[in-house]
Amino acid sequence: MNGFLPLVLQLALLLLTDQASIEEGQSLENYLWEQTGDTRLRALSSNLIFGMREKCLDPSQFGGYMVDDTVYCYEGSESLGIAAKRSSDNVTLQNFLESEAKSWFGYWEWLNEIWHIKNPEGVRIGKEATAYMNHIRNVAENEIPVYTILALTPCARLWPWLGQKIGSGTRNFGLYTSWVETNLVPGSTGYIDYQEHVQWAYEAGLVTVEKALEIYTTSMQYEVDFFNSVERCAPSESNGHN
């Protein structure tokens, strides 16, 4: 187990591994999703999501989060590229990783225009985003390449779930309505492509439940930490709950 993980997270991983087992016929992704249910609830009540739901998130805090998230997209692209170069023995996986690396780089290019970021090296990134990016990079450099896809799956599946839970597309989130409707899309199923590659590797005996649970749980927790990198706001009675 990664010695750099916080002690609480290491203990939680040990508890999950000891108490839970994958059921016959259950996909690995659905098993991992079920095992991280408590963490998902913490994401739902996190400072960023709470601030948007209550329309009280400080725009300066949001701006800081988005600058970090822009660099996260760049570093995610780099990590996917590293994993792709290490997967020359599996052309299908390599092509998928290269395609995803290009997509993530596209996100970086789009966001750096919005947030006026010339290069990621000039950004003083917050500790939460840094820890998350380091986790993904560690997986890309040290685990078999398919684990990089798995490490990015919690984000891909969590955001649509959050959108469904807070009513994206049906509610007014004030200044953040456009962002919520663009990013927290309930019907988004992009994570399924990730799931299929991981499931194939699991069925081929390349991925273990224990290692998958460690990486997946860590990514999910870093999602929560990143959401909590903004300050919690106090909702005004005038905001309402439309």
Side-chain angles (χ1 to χ4, degrees):
M1 186 170 295
N2 189 338
F4 295 101
L5 294 179
L7 179 58
V8 173
L9 182 53
Q10 292 191 43
L11 291 173
L13 285 169
L14 287 171
L15 184 62
L16 285 172
T17 302
D18 288 343
Q19 292 187 348
S21 60
I22 190 166
E23 297 178 1
E24 184 177 354
Q26 184 181 31
S27 72
L28 178 61
E29 162 59 25
N30 285 339
Y31 164 78
L32 298 173
W33 181 253
E34 289 179 2
Q35 294 305 305
T36 51
D38 289 345
T39 313
R40 290 204 310 277
L41 292 177
R42 290 196 292 274
L44 183 60
S45 62
S46 65
N47 295 351
L48 182 78
I49 302 303
F50 175 85
M52 291 182 172
R53 191 177 66 229
E54 299 297 330
K55 309 178 206 174
C56 61
L57 179 62
D58 186 333
S60 297
Q61 293 288 314
F62 175 72
Y65 172 85
M66 286 306 305
V67 168
D68 280 358
D69 194 48
T70 301
V71 178
Y72 172 83
C73 288
Y74 173 82
E75 293 295 335
S77 173
E78 291 288 294
S79 292
L80 284 160
I82 290 169
K85 290 177 181 178
R86 298 179 61 234
S87 59
S88 57
D89 60 336
N90 185 329
V91 176
T92 300
L93 178 62
Q94 186 174 53
N95 288 341
F96 180 74
L97 286 163
E98 289 175 345
S99 176
E100 285 301 298
K102 290 178 182 177
S103 293
W104 280 63
F105 192 78
Y107 299 147
W108 147 254
E109 290 184 313
W110 173 54
L111 288 170
N112 71 26
E113 286 294 323
I114 295 173
W115 294 99
H116 299 227
I117 302 172
K118 185 175 182 180
N119 62 73
E121 291 79 13
V123 177
R124 182 165 56 86
I125 307 165
K127 62 180 182 180
E128 295 86 358
T130 298
Y132 196 179
M133 290 185 291
N134 288 344
H135 162 62
I136 303 297
R137 183 61 52 84
N138 178 64
V139 173
E141 292 178 341
N142 298 298
E143 305 293 348
I144 62 171
V146 72
Y147 277 123
T148 301
I149 298 174
L150 185 140
L152 294 169
T153 304
C155 173
R157 189 169 183 180
L158 177 65
W159 286 40
W161 180 83
L162 290 171
Q164 185 270 323
K165 289 296 182 182
I166 66 175
S168 175
T170 63
R171 284 189 55 197
N172 174 21
F173 297 92
L175 292 173
Y176 303 105
T177 299
S178 176
W179 188 91
V180 169
E181 292 181 350
T182 300
N183 292 276
L184 306 181
V185 183
S188 178
T189 57
Y191 74 91
I192 293 177
D193 288 337
Y194 286 23
Q195 173 182 312
E196 289 176 348
H197 284 277
V198 173
Q199 184 65 26
W200 175 88
Y202 170 65
E203 292 176 359
L206 302 175
V207 167
T208 68
V209 173
E210 293 76 17
K211 175 59 71 173
L213 183 60
E214 176 188 334
I215 292 172
Y216 195 96
T217 303
T218 303
S219 290
M220 191 71 81
Q221 182 58 52
Y222 281 140
E223 283 286 322
V224 176
D225 294 344
F226 196 7
F227 288 156
N228 281 329
S229 65
V230 304
E231 295 179 0
R232 197 168 189 84
C233 56
S236 168
E237 291 183 3
S238 62
N239 283 339
H241 299 279
N242 297 325

